[in-house]
C-alpha cells in the first residue's frame, strides 16, 4: 500500500484524464446530493475537484498533504485520516459526502458512525463508491462463445481486499457486499433515502473502447 503523498501526482493525472469522473461520477453525485446542502464536508477531498464543482459552504479533509496543497481555495481544507474525524465538532455539518473513500476504509462502520456524529439531525450523508460487484476479489469480464461480455462475480459475498495499480505503486481497495454496507449504515443510525447503481455511460465507453460490451455491468454505486 502506497501513501497518498507518494501517489499524489499520479492521482491528479488520473482524474484529469478519466472521462468517468465527468460523465458518470459527477452526475451521480449531483443526483444524490440534497438541493439544500448547508454546511458541507467533502471527506477525502483530494485536490478539491468536488469542492470546486459543488461550491457553497464546503470544506474538505484528506490524508494527503500534497493533494491538499493542490486544492487551492474552494473552501477550507485540513489534514485528517478517515475514519477519524475527531477534529470536526459533533452536529456541526449539514451534509457529508465522499467519493471513492469507503472503498479505502477497512472497517466501514467506523466511518459511518463518525459521519452520524458530525452531521446534524436531519442532515444527509452521500457516498459514491465502486460498485461492490466490480470490486469483489476474483471478479472480471468474460467473453462467451457468441462474443457477449459477461461478468464473473468472484468472491462477492465475502468481504476482502485487493491491491490495485496506482501508477508504479498500489492502493488497497476493500470489498464488502451491498448488504453489509447498508446494514452497517443502519446500525450507525442512517436511513436510506436513495440507492443508485450505474454502468459506464456510453460517452465514457466511446472514449475508452476497451470497455465496449460492458455497458450493462454495474460499475458505480451511490447512497443517500
Amino acid at each position: 500500500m502506497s501513501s497518498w503523498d507518494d501517489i499524489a501526482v499520479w492521482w491528479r493525472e488520473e482524474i484529469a484524464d478519466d472521462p468517468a469522473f465527468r460523465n458518470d461520477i459527477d452526475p451521480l453525485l449531483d443526483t444524490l446530493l440534497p438541493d439544500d446542502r448547508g454546511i458541507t464536508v467533502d471527506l477525502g477531498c483530494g485536490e478539491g475537484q468536488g469542492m470546486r464543482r459543488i461550491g457553497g459552504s464546503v470544506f474538505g479533509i484528506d490524508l494527503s498533504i500534497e493533494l491538499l496543497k493542490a486544492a487551492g481555495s474552494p473552501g477550507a481544507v485540513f489534514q485528517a485520516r478517515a475514519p477519524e474525524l475527531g477534529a470536526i465538532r459533533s452536529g456541526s455539518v449539514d451534509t457529508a459526502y465522499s467519493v471513492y473513500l469507503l472503498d479505502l476504509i477497512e472497517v466501514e462502520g467506523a466511518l459511518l458512525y463518525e459521519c452520524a456524529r458530525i452531521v446534524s439531525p436531519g442532515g444527509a450523508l452521500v457516498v459514491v463508491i465502486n460498485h461492490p460487484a466490480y470490486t469483489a476479489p476474483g471478479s472480471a469480464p468474460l467473453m462467451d462463445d457468441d462474443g457477449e461480455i459477461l461478468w464473473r462475480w468472484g468472491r462477492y459475498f465475502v468481504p476482502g481486499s485487493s491491491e490495485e495499480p496506482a501508477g508504479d505503486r498500489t492502493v488497497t481497495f476493500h470489498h464488502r457486499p451491498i448488504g453489509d454496507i447498508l446494514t452497517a449504515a443502519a446500525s450507525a443510525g442512517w436511513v436510506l433515502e436513495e440507492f443508485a447503481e450505474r454502468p459506464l455511460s456510453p460517452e465514457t465507453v466511446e472514449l475508452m473502447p476497451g470497455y465496449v460490451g460492458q455497458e450493462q455491468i454495474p460499475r458505480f454505486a451511490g447512497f443517500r
Side-chain angles (χ1 to χ4, degrees):
M1 167 65 185
S2 305
S3 79
W4 278 90
D5 280 336
D6 290 339
I7 61 174
V9 172
W10 166 83
W11 176 248
R12 292 178 64 189
E13 293 173 349
E14 179 76 5
I15 65 167
D17 294 337
D18 188 347
F21 271 87
R22 61 180 178 271
N23 294 329
D24 303 307
I25 297 168
D26 289 346
L28 178 55
L29 182 62
D30 290 343
T31 295
L32 294 171
L33 282 171
D35 293 332
D36 183 12
R37 295 189 298 272
I39 299 173
T40 302
V41 58
D42 183 334
L43 303 171
C45 66
E47 76 307 325
Q49 173 183 257
M51 296 172 62
R52 285 187 288 273
R53 281 193 63 260
I54 72 167
S57 300
V58 60
F59 68 99
I61 69 161
D62 200 272
L63 176 61
S64 169
I65 287 293
E66 294 304 314
L67 288 175
L68 291 174
K69 288 178 181 177
S73 56
V77 295
F78 63 93
Q79 186 183 31
R81 180 188 291 273
E84 300 163 10
L85 306 178
I88 304 177
R89 207 168 58 244
S90 297
S92 62
V93 302
D94 302 299
T95 303
Y97 76 90
S98 68
V99 175
Y100 283 175
L101 177 65
L102 195 65
D103 312 74
L104 304 175
I105 304 294
E106 185 172 3
V107 181
E108 73 275 19
L111 179 63
L112 296 168
Y113 272 99
E114 270 293 84
C115 288
R117 180 186 65 79
I118 66 172
V119 173
S120 61
L125 169 64
V126 172
V127 174
V128 174
I129 59 173
N130 289 294
H131 197 289
Y134 182 75
T135 62
S139 61
L142 298 172
M143 182 181 292
D144 69 7
D145 294 338
D146 297 326
E148 181 182 5
I149 303 296
L150 308 175
W151 191 256
R152 183 178 67 197
W153 284 69
R155 296 183 296 280
Y156 173 82
F157 292 107
V158 180
S161 63
S162 59
E163 294 292 321
E164 300 299 330
D168 60 355
R169 298 173 184 264
T170 62
V171 172
T172 304
F173 278 87
H174 297 281
H175 162 77
R176 65 276 295 184
I178 290 173
D180 287 10
I181 297 172
L182 295 180
T183 298
S187 297
W190 293 105
V191 176
L192 181 66
E193 293 185 344
E194 185 170 355
F195 168 46
E197 300 172 284
R198 297 285 190 275
L200 288 171
S201 64
E203 295 81 4
T204 297
V205 173
E206 183 178 359
L207 293 169
M208 303 174 72
Y211 291 103
V212 168
Q214 299 187 35
E215 294 87 345
Q216 296 303 314
I217 294 171
R219 185 64 183 270
F220 312 103
F223 310 85
R224 182 179 67 240

